[in-house]
Amino acid sequence: MENIPIPAASKGDREAIAQLARRCSELGAAQYQTQTHVQRRLTETFHLDHAAHSETTLNQKASAWWDCSLTELGDALKTSFKLAANPFKNPRTADEWDSYLAEHRATVARQSHELADTEADLNARVYRLFNLTPDEIKLLQREVEH
């Protein structure tokens, strides 16, 4: 670690980077809160036999509810909680949940977009401090993705 150069950042750069890092943390926490709120609501509503299967949780597909269509989510809930059928095959249930899920999907999408923009701004500031070339930035980004 002693060989890693730490650039001398101005007070303004340090403050801007700190503010962006805090904003990323806030956005990540808000997004997590939105996602887990809906996960809890799904579990409370569709996990009908709480006493017999208290350890039962949402499967991976249902846990990522914001990436699922209503039918996909219903199928995932059926599997998660061993339901007799996809609960959203019932038009009344589908109608009740459709707008709720759409509203929360939009919130997650907005939060994801704002977080990505904020992270990009933070990264760009750090890249400038280290005087990285476009090729070095591409290499770093490629390595971080994996």
Side-chain angles (χ1 to χ4, degrees):
M1 292 297 290
E2 66 190 42
N3 295 329
I4 297 176
I6 306 296
S10 69
K11 182 177 178 180
D13 283 337
R14 287 192 312 270
E15 289 174 357
I17 288 170
Q19 183 178 7
L20 288 167
R22 279 191 297 274
R23 185 67 184 143
C24 285
S25 179
E26 292 165 1
L27 289 166
Q31 183 180 43
Y32 178 78
Q33 183 177 1
T34 302
Q35 292 167 341
T36 57
H37 171 78
V38 174
Q39 289 167 347
R40 280 191 305 274
R41 182 63 49 106
L42 289 166
T43 300
E44 290 166 0
T45 303
F46 296 107
H47 187 205
L48 304 177
D49 192 3
H50 298 286
H53 302 287
S54 60
E55 73 285 350
T56 304
T57 59
L58 295 171
N59 62 22
Q60 190 172 8
K61 183 83 168 177
S63 291
W65 57 267
W66 58 92
D67 286 333
C68 297
S69 69
L70 198 60
T71 300
E72 292 169 333
L73 178 56
D75 288 340
L77 291 170
K78 177 184 172 194
T79 302
S80 290
F81 302 128
K82 297 175 181 40
L83 302 175
N86 177 329
F88 299 130
K89 295 290 183 183
N90 177 322
R92 185 180 307 257
T93 304
D95 287 347
E96 290 172 356
W97 278 86
D98 195 33
S99 61
Y100 174 82
L101 291 169
E103 175 185 335
H104 286 82
R105 278 186 194 105
T107 300
V108 169
R110 180 184 43 77
Q111 291 166 330
S112 294
H113 182 73
E114 188 175 350
L115 179 57
D117 287 349
T118 305
E119 286 174 338
D121 191 10
L122 174 63
N123 290 340
R125 287 179 177 274
V126 172
Y127 299 156
R128 281 193 300 274
L129 281 177
F130 280 90
N131 295 315
L132 296 181
T133 66
D135 288 340
E136 290 169 330
I137 292 169
K138 284 180 190 175
L139 176 64
L140 178 62
Q141 290 173 337
R142 189 173 56 241
E143 290 301 315
V144 170
E145 286 177 7
H146 302 295

